[in-house]
Amino acid sequence: MTVDFTLPPSLEAHEPPEARDRTRDGVRLLVSRRATGEVAHHEFRDLPTLLDPGDLLVVNTSSTLPAAVRLDRISVHFSTPVPGGGDRLWLVELRRLTGKSSSPYTGGCPGEWIPMPGGATLTLVGRHKGGSEGHGGSSSHRESDRLWEARLSTDVVPYLRRHGTPIRYGYVRRDWPAAAYQTVFAHDRTTGSAEMPSAARPFTPELVTRLVSRGVLIAPITLHTGVASPEAHEPPYAERYEVPEPTAALVEHVRARGNRVIAVGTTAVRALETSVDASGHVRASAGWTEHIVTPERGVQAVGGLLTGLHEPRSSHLMMLTAIAGPDLLASTYEAALAERYLWHEFGDVNLLLPD
């Protein structure tokens, strides 16, 4: 990985842009073009003028759960259901509350139970044995120091809707309502994400109308994100996804016509690349994905990416390198730091284009 930098605290977005007297689509947009190496500065509301008729934006429709339940000394972050575990067995992260922020809590033991608000009980079943992809797609298993398999005494999603709050890390200084963590594309027909698929946050209904009027296509996928690892920068583990048949067909149609397929967020990249078959075509698929995009593996379905700015040593930077190339990514982040773009889910965004 060639991109390494120090992120000054002053470039962390501490609140939504609406609290900074901006609209959602008023955040800044850094545009990087691989063919020319050009890096240009825009506002997000300029997006329709930067795309061509026939280009396709693939968006994640997962809603954001109020996935954190705070107790006196710890906070429980609900991540994803355990496959085959029903509605009550989930992966969770325990975090120690320290003032207005939190840090990983390494205590706990199998069989321990934790009293929860509303009379519920959470039982720690065991440390999560996550998959770790190796060469050739093989996988070994490692025990996580961070994640537990835990069983709640009631169904998790309805419980979170009554007692949870959106996950918040220390750089966000106060709680914001759940609506601040939903994108214009989110729906509640499925379980939802532990953390916001934030690349789509700047979209507004008005901007979507302008995009469609220009002839830009929009298609949905769903990928439910688990809890991030802001301290350890671990790669993502298995997450549930769906690429529906109309989306797969539209991706193939756009590619065949020579237009650009642009993923909105790293989650959309992960879902699409999981759905590429042995012949290089995108097919409808659903289930759990452990696919990790690396520069060595590359991308086949995606030509461009709209994404936030990622932290140093983040595993997402491997994906960005695969799409943009190391030189363009390095110059992009140099420009973002020099021009004081804002990081994290409430910050500015970056559009990586092939040309």
Side-chain angles (χ1 to χ4, degrees), residues 138-182:
S138 63
S139 73
S140 59
H141 289 275
R142 66 197 187 282
E143 187 171 274
S144 172
D145 293 330
R146 187 172 68 92
L147 298 172
W148 285 91
E149 293 186 4
R151 180 173 285 106
L152 192 66
S153 58
T154 186
D155 290 355
V156 170
V157 173
Y159 178 82
L160 291 177
R161 298 198 188 283
R162 292 193 302 272
H163 299 285
T165 60
I167 288 175
R168 173 173 66 85
Y169 296 113
Y171 52 80
V172 177
R173 294 170 177 168
R174 49 154 285 195
D175 287 334
W176 295 93
Y181 291 86
Q182 303 298 349

Side-chain angles (χ1 to χ4, degrees), residues 252-321:
E252 287 297 296
H253 172 74
V254 169
R255 293 171 66 197
R257 288 177 57 89
N259 289 98
R260 298 175 293 192
V261 176
I262 300 166
V264 177
T266 58
T267 57
V269 177
R270 196 180 195 203
L272 288 174
E273 294 299 324
T274 298
S275 299
V276 174
D277 66 13
S279 63
H281 296 284
V282 175
R283 305 300 185 194
S285 67
W288 294 79
T289 177
E290 294 190 57
H291 188 92
I292 297 173
V293 177
T294 65
E296 294 75 23
R297 173 177 280 177
V299 290
Q300 298 183 70
V302 174
L305 171 63
L306 180 71
T307 184
L309 293 163
H310 298 279
E311 293 182 340
R313 299 172 299 282
S314 165
S315 62
H316 291 307
L317 292 176
M318 293 192 300
M319 178 187 293
L320 270 61
T321 301

Side-chain angles (χ1 to χ4, degrees), residues 16-17 57 72-73 150 156 222 244 294:
L57 293 173
D72 289 339
R73 297 180 181 178
V156 170
T222 301
T294 65

